[in-house]
Amino acid sequence: MIRFDFKTYTREFIKEEEYNYLYSKKDNYIKMLQNSPMTGWMRPIEKELVEDIKQTAFQIKKDFDCLVVIGIGGSFLGSYAFHNIFKRYFNDTSFEVIYAGTTLSSKYLDELLNYLRNKNFCINVISKSGTTLETTITYKVLKDLLKRKYTKEELKKHIIITTDKQVGTLREEVKEEQYKSFVIPEDIGGRYSFMTPAHLLPLALNYPIEEIVDGYYDGKRLIDLAFEYAVTRRVLYSKRKYVENFCVYEECLSPFTEWLKQLFGETEGKNGVGIFPTSCVHTRDLHSLGQFIQEGNKIIFETFIKVDNSDNYIDYKGKDLQEINNIVLDSVAKAHYQGGVPCLEIEMSELSIENVTALIYFFMLSAAFSGLLFGANPFDQPGVEVYKKEVREALGK
Ligand code: PA5
């Protein structure tokens, strides 16, 4: 179960008539979204594709020690966030998935090469455009390592490419080398691609894929709440609350906040407007950024993600530690509100696949609505291209 409270700690900042005015446009915004050409992520995924993903994952687990996912941004954050929520902090027994391709650090890549040198690994390179620099470099370096060990024919088993159906260098490579491949549909952008093989294949190695699919589509029931969330944020923005701080009280949710930052940041941050998304992992960051949030510049509002129950019971003086963690969360929301910081709350009964996947859909809907409320195209990211062009010129390409 998921509960939403966008009112208790925002009421002083939001006039009912302002909120109602925007909320009354809900049906128009739903229509706008449904008419958008980039909403393939709302369409049910084909059963045959799910079967293919399951079959491929089964084969990877049978043939290899680990899978190296190479991708960046929307091409890795969804499955990375999900995996980090459900794997164990210590003594993790899940099938090893390494997420590479997110850095140009030679220290990282060199150490990764050393780690993989004697491993029997498979690569899943994921890039819709097929031109992303970090992905391209990491893929080349790891492929070179494989080439030194295997024949051209053997290599086919070790490489899986997830990319556009028709265009790009990776698709050409699939055609030339006959590698196994999956498609990121044309009408689904990177940050909205959770329900595609880009994320489902790495996840299928360790999690029941049908449960992920069902949970995700179950998130559709949250459409009104997603609009409510978008409207609340938009009204807060008009009160000069320009920064949204996503606060989690579980370290394992930290990568989920990275996914949220990309989703909202790339969706809204255009034309000189938009809410800047940031995040805190509490209680740790109460001892670093807590002071600023409580008493600093009042441009911040917060969204707390709360988890009611945990399977891990730790007693402290007759109280469950999870309860203590949540007492702190409630107290912080109250204190920050008193300090002029509006706080919104999203509460999951527990960290289950059902709750997390529904929340993924909820946030995607909400981000898309939010982009539209800011008058932006929620599905492009022209600003990212600007630096890429500079890099290409600097590298002489
Ligand atoms: O959300 C997006 O579209 C971007 O963040 C992309 O996912 C990211 O830039 C990676 O692009 P590509 O999949 O083309 O390598």
Side-chain angles (χ1 to χ4, degrees):
M1 190 199 289
I2 312 175
R3 278 181 290 272
F4 301 84
D5 181 355
F6 305 141
K7 297 234 167 12
T8 305
Y9 293 131
T10 59
R11 57 185 184 274
E12 262 182 38
F13 301 89
I14 294 181
K15 285 203 189 88
E16 234 174 272
E17 53 276 24
E18 279 172 302
Y19 175 87
N20 290 343
Y21 171 73
L22 269 187
Y23 193 77
S24 68
K25 295 169 184 272
K26 184 185 78 191
D27 292 344
N28 291 351
Y29 279 95
I30 292 179
K31 268 198 203 106
M32 270 164 86
L33 184 60
Q34 284 164 344
N35 291 335
S36 160
M38 289 302 285
T39 47
W41 49 276
M42 296 170 85
R43 164 182 72 227
I45 189 167
E46 301 93 16
K47 284 206 168 60
E48 304 74 50
L49 177 57
V50 173
E51 256 331 293
D52 189 7
I53 290 170
K54 270 170 70 179
Q55 219 21 65
T56 309
F58 175 80
Q59 204 58 42
I60 294 171
K61 281 169 86 168
K62 198 161 148 278
D63 295 344
F64 301 101
D65 300 336
C66 70
L67 174 76
V68 183
V69 171
I70 305 175
I72 195 166
S75 287
F76 99 103
L77 273 167
S79 78
Y80 178 72
F82 186 101
H83 184 47
N84 272 278
I85 293 174
F86 292 104
K87 77 182 176 81
R88 300 172 73 97
Y89 282 115
F90 304 102
N91 293 324
D92 183 41
T93 52
S94 58
F95 183 83
E96 188 176 16
V97 180
I98 297 168
Y99 287 89
T102 61
T103 175
L104 294 174
S105 155
S106 27
K107 172 173 160 54
Y108 176 85
L109 206 48
D110 192 41
E111 289 182 16
L112 177 63
L113 278 173
N114 284 333
Y115 179 72
L116 291 173
R117 197 149 279 136
N118 296 316
K119 284 216 174 225
N120 177 23
F121 67 96
C122 175
I123 289 174
N124 180 201
V125 56
I126 307 168
S127 175
K128 191 172 181 193
S129 62
T131 56
T132 304
L133 184 69
E134 297 87 336
T135 313
T136 307
I137 290 177
T138 309
Y139 178 45
K140 185 187 177 313
V141 171
L142 295 193
K143 193 174 161 187
D144 284 349
L145 176 65
L146 287 175
K147 273 182 175 168
R148 288 197 285 276
K149 284 168 84 174
Y150 303 106
T151 64
K152 206 168 150 57
E153 196 51 36
E154 284 169 337
L155 214 58
K156 279 187 193 167
K157 271 180 71 185
H158 289 257
I159 294 174
I160 300 168
I161 294 182
T162 306
T163 190
D164 188 86
K165 190 176 182 178
Q166 315 276 4
V167 296
T169 47
L170 286 175
R171 182 51 61 192
E172 275 159 31
E173 194 177 339
V174 168
K175 286 180 196 154
E176 250 166 58
E177 307 290 346
Q178 301 292 299
Y179 291 151
K180 170 77 184 160
S181 77
F182 286 97
V183 169
I184 304 175
E186 208 186 347
D187 59 355
I188 303 183
R191 59 191 174 276
Y192 290 86
S193 67
F194 184 76
M195 198 41 52
T196 73
H199 303 275
L200 293 178
L201 177 61
L203 290 180
L205 293 164
N206 288 305
Y207 306 100
I209 193 101
E210 277 94 355
E211 227 177 282
I212 294 176
V213 172
D214 290 349
Y216 172 87
Y217 289 110
D218 189 44
K220 278 188 174 184
R221 69 190 155 84
L222 304 173
I223 190 161
D224 288 357
L225 284 152
F227 191 68
E228 217 176 284
Y229 181 51
V231 168
T232 306
R233 298 168 74 258
R234 185 66 187 83
V235 177
L236 289 172
Y237 178 85
S238 70
K239 309 287 172 212
R240 298 172 184 271
K241 300 296 178 190
Y242 297 142
V243 176
E244 178 172 27
N245 186 25
F246 291 105
C247 299
V248 293
Y249 279 68
E250 272 289 345
E251 182 71 42
C252 72
L253 281 166
S254 178
F256 189 66
T257 66
E258 297 306 316
W259 177 78
L260 284 170
K261 286 192 264 185
Q262 192 222 1
L263 179 66
F264 283 93
E266 282 193 351
T267 298
E268 295 175 351
K270 288 158 204 175
N271 313 318
V273 295
I275 296 166
F276 183 81
T278 186
S279 64
C280 279
V281 178
H282 291 331
T283 56
R284 183 192 70 198
D285 295 341
L286 290 170
H287 303 265
S288 60
L289 290 173
Q291 169 61 34
F292 189 103
I293 298 163
Q294 187 71 45
E295 294 185 341
N297 196 331
K298 295 295 159 209
I299 51 171
I300 301 171
F301 70 94
E302 297 186 292
T303 296
F304 287 79
I305 300 179
K306 184 176 184 180
V307 182
D308 288 339
N309 301 302
S310 158
D311 289 340
N312 313 89
Y313 180 81
I314 304 263
D315 178 89
Y316 180 73
K317 296 187 177 171
K319 267 200 168 52
D320 181 0
L321 187 57
Q322 185 74 7
E323 196 188 333
I324 296 174
N325 203 10
N326 283 329
I327 289 172
V328 176
L329 184 155
D330 293 338
S331 309
V332 169
K334 211 166 165 184
H336 287 183
Y337 179 60
Q338 284 160 11
V341 178
C343 296
L344 293 75
E345 198 174 295
I346 297 174
E347 185 177 354
M348 287 185 262
S349 49
E350 67 269 308
L351 276 180
S352 62
I353 291 182
E354 190 187 344
N355 284 340
V356 170
T357 46
L359 212 50
I360 286 173
Y361 196 89
F362 163 86
F363 277 121
M364 277 160 47
L365 274 175
S366 200
F369 281 136
S370 203
L372 293 173
L373 284 165
F374 274 109
N377 174 353
F379 304 113
D380 65 359
Q381 56 285 327
V384 181
E385 296 309 314
V386 182
Y387 100 84
K388 285 186 180 173
K389 187 172 164 281
E390 288 293 333
V391 172
R392 275 195 297 272
E393 277 170 23
L395 289 174
K397 285 188 183 172

